[in-house]
Each structure stands twice: as C-alpha cells, then as structure tokens.
Amino acid sequence: MDQDTARLLFEQGACLVVLDAPTGIEFGIDMETWETGPLFSGLKMIPPGIHYIHYRAMDNRECGNGGSSNRGEGRMGMQCGFFHDFAQGEVVVRRWDPQTEQLVVVTTPPAVSREEWLRSLDPRLGAYPVDGAVGSGGYERWKRLTSHVTPALLSCILPSLEGCFSSATGSVYEDEEMEAARKRLAKEYKKNNASGSGSGSEGVGGGPFMEHISTVDDNDRFGFTAIDVRHSFPKNAEPAMITRYSVDKTWLLRSLLHSLWNDDAGQLLGELQISFLVILVGQNFSGLEHWKRLMHVVLGSSSALEDPGLVETVVAPALGILRCQLDECPAEFVTLVLEQDSDGHDGFVATLLSAFVLNLYECPQENARLEASVDGLRRFLRDRFSWLLPTGKELQEEADLEDGEYAPQIVDPSEIT
C-alpha cells in the first residue's frame, strides 16, 4: 500500500486481537487466508466497514515437518467465521477455544490501559492486506463484493449465535429438502405396505418416524426466506396469467420486493451479495440455492425490462453484481458449483443468461445501458471462461429455426399422391 493509505489506516483502522491462537491454524479476513505462525495475535489497520473473519483448525502433526507441510495432509477442521462491521479505531477481541476450535467473545478488559496493551501486541499483529495477494487489489475487490451489504441486513440473515456460522450452518432450504425426502419415503412406505412387501417396521421406508425427524438447529441457521420460483403468479390467478408468469418472473419480483424488502431494491441486491459470499468464502452451500433463486427471479423477469424503474434499481445492478462475482470464481467453481441447477443438471448460469439476452433483444423498449452491460459481459465470459454467449439475434434465429421444424406446412393438394 502507498504511504498515505498506510498512515490513514494506522490512525483510523480497527484491530482484531486473537488471544491464545495456536500455531498452524488457517486464518483469514475477506478474500485472504494464511496459516498462522507462533507469534500471531491478530490483525491491525483494518479499514472501517464490514469484513468477514474466517478460520479453521489445521492438524499437520502427521506430516512430521513442524507444521510447514502442504495443507490437507493432516486433519482439517470445519471452516467457521463471522461478519463484523468495524468502526473507526475499534478493537475487537476474540479468544481461541481449543475445545470447540472456535473464536469466542472476550468481555474482560485487559489489566493495563488499552493503549499500553495494544502497544505490547503491535509487533504480533499483521497488517490488513489492502493490496491483496500479489497486488491483486484485495480491499477494492471486497468493497465491490459487499457494496450493498449493510449491518442491518446481516443481522437479519446471520445465525443468532453471535453471527457466527460454519460450513454446516443450515437454512430453510435444508428444511425443503427434508420435507421432500419425508414425502418420498412416506409414499414408498405406503406403497410397500400396500403390496405386502413392507418389513413391518414403522421405521423402514419412511414410516411414521419421519414425522419426528428434527431439522437444522434454530440457533444455527441463516435467515434466508425461501423463494419458490415455480409458484411465481398470484393466488387464484387465471390460467392465462399462470402461463405468463410461470415463465416471466416479474410478478414474483415485484411481490418479493414489497413483502420481503419493503420496496428497497438495495436489500435485495445486498442479499444477493451475502448469499454468494456464504458459498464462495464461507464454504456453505445454504447460500448457493438462495443465490440461484434470486438470480433466477431478477434475470428471468422479462416484463421488468420495460419498467425503467426496475431496470435502474434492480436488473442493471444485479447484472453488474453477477459480473463482479464471476470475476472472483475459478473456472472449476463455476462449472462444478454455479452451473449446477437444483436437479443436478448443467448450464444454470448459461441458460439464465441466454434467456435474459433473448428477452432483452425482444423487448420493445430501448435499453442501452443493459445492452452495453451484456456486451461487456459477453467479452468477459469469452476471455475468462471461453464461454460464447450468443447475441439476441442469434438466439432468436435459433428459436425460429426450432419452431419452424414443427410448424404447420402448406401443401399443394396436387402434390399429394
């Protein structure tokens, strides 16, 4: 970092003090991760604002070389972490608990003055990596990834356990999966009993015991509200409206904006960013399903492209967020994680973007901003992932060709034999 930035962060930056941290744990902030040394006691010069602290136990004793071996050769603990909104000059103190392998809150003040205590710790505090690894601009990247995230939104979404979550923290989407599994097993149970092939045990094949299966701990779950993208039309809607809004998600988008986010598009965009970070750096798949459903609703709302207000406040920013998020993803992560839909099929992002491009091409209203964004995204996908995102004209021609193959044909009666 340059001298002016260093001086500013030295005067105004926050500190995170980690007491009793063992050597060799994996520790990180935002997008950066390190393995701790014997003198590690935390971080200093943290820019004020929201940051994500993450860590996990690493047991390299089996490697036989003093803990400096390649990662993954010993036992690797579950990643844990928490978001914190650091105030200017704030000092946050955590202590490593060897029993739970967690950072716990410390409320007892030091025996000496705060200034004297921090001076004694200063040589053992690492500086926040403003420039990131190899000058990658880590802090600027983090600000782009969290541009719509607020402390209030985090308090609504993060678990009640002091905001800490791990790779195993659940959400309402696990409840959905459990309920679907319960119904499948109950159906199989009834089928087996009706055919006389049941074992006679209530617990086999989804019997009554399934009613009592507990779901995720209420204190260790994200506060995501389940979004049903398949039920995207009003209650008691006419068949024509059901048909329309089953494809066009605009009614659902407006409904969610009003009911979940009080017509504040910034909260929707912030939730889109939080859910992505939960999977990318939090390594928790609860965020993945929520991110996909939010993206599906926003980019699948074709009628919204005719609403300048929705384009300006929701669609265009969401497209920019997607570009920024994809820029942080290794190619393998996109292919193996983001591209898989809820049924395990490939092509989620590619299919969603192709449908969006076609809707934009067919939209009767001029959208110069969106068209420029799509052109930039097309170049980015080509250069970064070797993806070819077709133009709207190409997609329309392809659709017309497919329709034409099955369209009714006019035949001259004289040619019929």
Side-chain angles (χ1 to χ4, degrees):
M1 70 181 79
D2 59 68
Q3 291 185 351
D4 291 339
T5 301
R7 186 181 303 110
L8 182 65
L9 289 179
F10 181 79
E11 296 172 352
Q12 301 182 3
C15 289
L16 171 69
V17 176
V18 180
L19 303 176
D20 301 332
T23 300
I25 65 170
E26 186 179 275
F27 184 89
I29 184 169
D30 301 340
M31 306 291 288
E32 305 296 332
T33 306
W34 313 271
E35 187 172 318
T36 60
L39 299 180
F40 175 77
S41 291
L43 296 172
K44 60 185 177 182
M45 301 170 67
I46 301 173
I50 291 171
H51 296 277
Y52 173 58
I53 311 300
H54 45 100
Y55 52 91
R56 79 167 88 223
M58 303 282 289
D59 187 353
N60 291 322
R61 287 176 296 179
E62 299 177 12
C63 305
N65 59 0
S68 60
S69 62
N70 292 331
R71 293 177 180 175
E73 295 181 10
R75 181 186 64 85
M76 181 179 292
M78 184 179 300
Q79 176 167 309
C80 300
F82 59 92
F83 284 91
H84 186 81
D85 182 24
F86 286 88
Q88 180 176 314
E90 181 181 12
V91 178
V92 176
V93 185
R94 295 287 191 272
R95 182 183 301 277
W96 179 263
D97 184 338
Q99 299 301 318
T100 63
E101 297 183 337
Q102 301 257 343
L103 292 180
V104 297
V105 176
V106 175
T107 56
T108 305
V112 297
S113 69
R114 177 179 178 271
E115 291 74 15
E116 183 179 349
W117 185 55
L118 288 178
R119 278 198 301 271
S120 68
L121 287 174
D122 187 76
R124 306 172 68 177
L125 300 177
Y128 178 88
V130 172
D131 297 326
V134 199
S136 60
Y139 181 49
E140 291 302 317
R141 291 161 52 209
W142 180 253
K143 286 197 297 183
R144 287 193 295 269
L145 289 169
T146 57
S147 57
H148 296 277
V149 178
T150 65
L153 191 57
L154 285 172
S155 68
C156 293
I157 292 176
L158 296 182
S160 58
L161 299 173
E162 298 173 346
C164 295
F165 65 92
S166 70
S167 302
T169 297
S171 74
V172 68
Y173 295 111
E174 277 75 12
D175 296 346
E176 278 190 4
E177 293 177 3
M178 181 64 73
E179 178 63 15
R182 187 193 67 78
K183 290 181 177 179
R184 286 195 301 269
L185 290 173
K187 183 177 180 180
E188 186 66 22
Y189 173 78
K190 293 177 181 179
K191 178 182 176 182
N192 289 341
N193 280 317
S195 63
S197 60
S199 65
S201 171
E202 286 189 332
V204 177
F209 87 101
M210 285 297 294
E211 299 288 344
H212 306 292
I213 287 184
S214 61
T215 54
V216 182
D217 180 359
D218 286 342
N219 292 320
D220 188 24
R221 60 190 289 125
F222 295 102
F224 298 130
T225 299
I227 296 174
D228 187 355
V229 294
R230 296 180 180 179
H231 194 88
S232 54
F233 42 83
K235 186 178 181 180
N236 301 322
E238 296 292 330
M241 183 173 285
I242 292 176
T243 300
R244 174 185 176 184
Y245 287 124
S246 291
V247 178
D248 176 5
K249 304 301 179 182
T250 304
W251 179 88
L252 180 58
L253 173 61
R254 289 196 171 102
S255 176
L256 293 173
L257 269 173
H258 181 70
S259 62
L260 295 185
W261 301 295
N262 298 313
D263 297 314
D264 181 358
Q267 293 189 50
L268 184 160
L269 299 173
E271 205 156 313
L272 194 58
Q273 292 182 322
I274 293 172
S275 58
F276 178 78
L277 292 173
V278 164
I279 173 61
L280 181 68
V281 293
Q283 299 182 13
N284 183 299
F285 279 82
S286 292
L288 179 62
E289 187 64 25
H290 197 61
W291 179 83
K292 287 182 175 181
R293 296 193 190 192
L294 286 174
M295 276 296 179
H296 189 174
V297 171
V298 173
L299 298 185
S301 297
S302 55
S303 298
L305 301 178
E306 301 178 41
D307 184 331
L310 285 177
V311 168
E312 185 69 23
T313 61
V314 179
V315 182
L319 201 61
I321 286 172
L322 176 61
R323 160 72 183 272
C324 179
Q325 291 174 340
L326 291 176
D327 197 25
E328 296 295 336
C329 297
E332 295 81 4
F333 182 85
V334 174
T335 302
L336 299 178
V337 179
L338 300 187
E339 274 288 80
Q340 301 293 316
D341 65 16
S342 57
D343 296 321
H345 301 138
D346 294 337
F348 172 80
V349 176
T351 301
L352 192 62
L353 285 176
S354 293
F356 177 80
V357 169
L358 180 59
N359 289 334
L360 182 62
Y361 181 77
E362 295 177 342
C363 179
Q365 185 153 334
E366 186 77 14
N367 280 301
R369 178 183 176 184
L370 288 180
E371 289 169 359
S373 296
V374 167
D375 288 341
L377 183 61
R378 181 178 292 110
R379 291 191 295 271
F380 163 76
L381 293 173
R382 179 198 63 201
D383 297 340
R384 180 68 189 277
F385 302 111
S386 298
W387 283 10
L388 296 179
L389 180 60
T391 65
K393 182 178 180 181
E394 291 170 340
L395 288 166
Q396 188 181 63
E397 290 174 349
E398 181 181 339
D400 290 344
L401 184 62
E402 291 177 354
D403 291 341
E405 182 179 352
Y406 300 100
Q409 298 182 17
I410 299 176
V411 180
D412 187 339
S414 63
E415 298 178 357
I416 301 177
T417 56

